[in-house]
């Protein structure tokens, strides 16, 4: 229902990010994935540090996914790379680390820290799924960088 209301619902959705119920916060992150505006980016970055892993996953998806956003510009590395690098290296939940890897992967072609973090995660992450995703993203970034030279 809120998604159909578009921009008129963004204020209510942002307020839901502070709800006590993690399912509400997660749902609001998912809605902002489609309705995000520049004012909401900082709030989504904050949600990447939520105490509930499902909320962190939804926040990282919203920050990483360009497909759902239509004409809205995706956040730049100055806003999202540092939290993504932190969670890729240290989040206790492997699903969060996998989503953080996707966000880090967006910048791996142009940022040496992002590329190095993916390689380290590919080698050292305790989760085989995260190692696989990080390796794939690192190789994709490497291949794109070599063809653009």
């Amino acid at each position: 229902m809120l998604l159909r209301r578009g921009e008129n619902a963004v204020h209510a959705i942002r307020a839901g990010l502070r709800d006590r119920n993690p399912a509400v916060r997660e749902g609001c992150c998912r809605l902002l994935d489609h309705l995000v505006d520049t004012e909401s980016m900082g709030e989504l970055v904050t949600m990447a540090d939520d105490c509930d892993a499902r909320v962190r996953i939804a926040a990282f998806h919203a920050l990483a996914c360009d497909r759902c956003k239509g004409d809205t510009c995706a956040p730049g590395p100055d806003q999202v790379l540092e939290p993504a690098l932190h969670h890729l290296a240290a989040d206790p939940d492997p699903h969060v680390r996998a989503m953080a890897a996707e966000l880090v992967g967006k910048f791996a072609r142009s940022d040496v820290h992002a590329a190095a973090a993916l390689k380290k995660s590919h080698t050292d992450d305790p989760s085989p799924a995260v190692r696989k995703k990080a390796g794939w993203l690192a190789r994709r970034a490497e291949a794109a960088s070599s063809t653009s030279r």
Side-chain angles (χ1 to χ4, degrees):
M1 181 73 114
L2 284 173
L3 189 56
R4 285 184 274 165
R5 293 184 186 263
E7 290 179 23
N8 296 328
V10 172
H11 180 71
I13 294 167
R14 278 195 222 127
L17 293 174
R18 292 177 292 285
D19 196 275
R20 293 176 70 174
N21 184 337
V24 172
R25 297 192 308 273
E26 176 188 10
C28 289
C29 288
R30 291 183 186 281
L31 288 167
L32 284 175
D33 183 24
H34 296 274
L35 299 172
V36 73
D37 58 357
T38 53
E39 294 173 22
S40 300
M41 288 295 176
E43 293 187 59
L44 280 171
V45 170
T46 299
M47 299 313 294
D49 288 326
D50 193 89
C51 61
D52 189 280
R54 295 167 298 177
V55 176
R56 296 192 307 274
I57 291 165
F60 276 119
H61 173 83
L63 292 167
C65 181
D66 295 332
R67 183 176 57 243
C68 300
K69 288 177 188 46
D71 296 336
T72 304
C73 292
D78 57 319
Q79 290 178 285
V80 298
L81 186 54
E82 190 60 39
L85 289 168
H86 168 75
H87 285 275
L88 176 59
D91 199 281
D93 188 280
H95 296 101
V96 175
R97 293 194 308 274
M99 285 308 304
E102 286 189 25
L103 188 51
V104 170
K106 289 180 67 171
F107 305 107
R109 283 179 43 191
S110 58
D111 188 285
V112 296
H113 296 101
L118 288 174
K119 288 178 184 175
K120 180 169 177 38
S121 182
H122 172 62
T123 304
D124 298 343
D125 197 278
S127 166
V130 176
R131 288 194 307 269
K132 181 178 179 180
K133 180 176 270 191
W136 182 80
L137 289 164
R139 286 188 298 278
R140 185 175 80 173
E142 222 171 66
S145 293
S146 67
T147 59
S148 65
R149 290 180 192 158

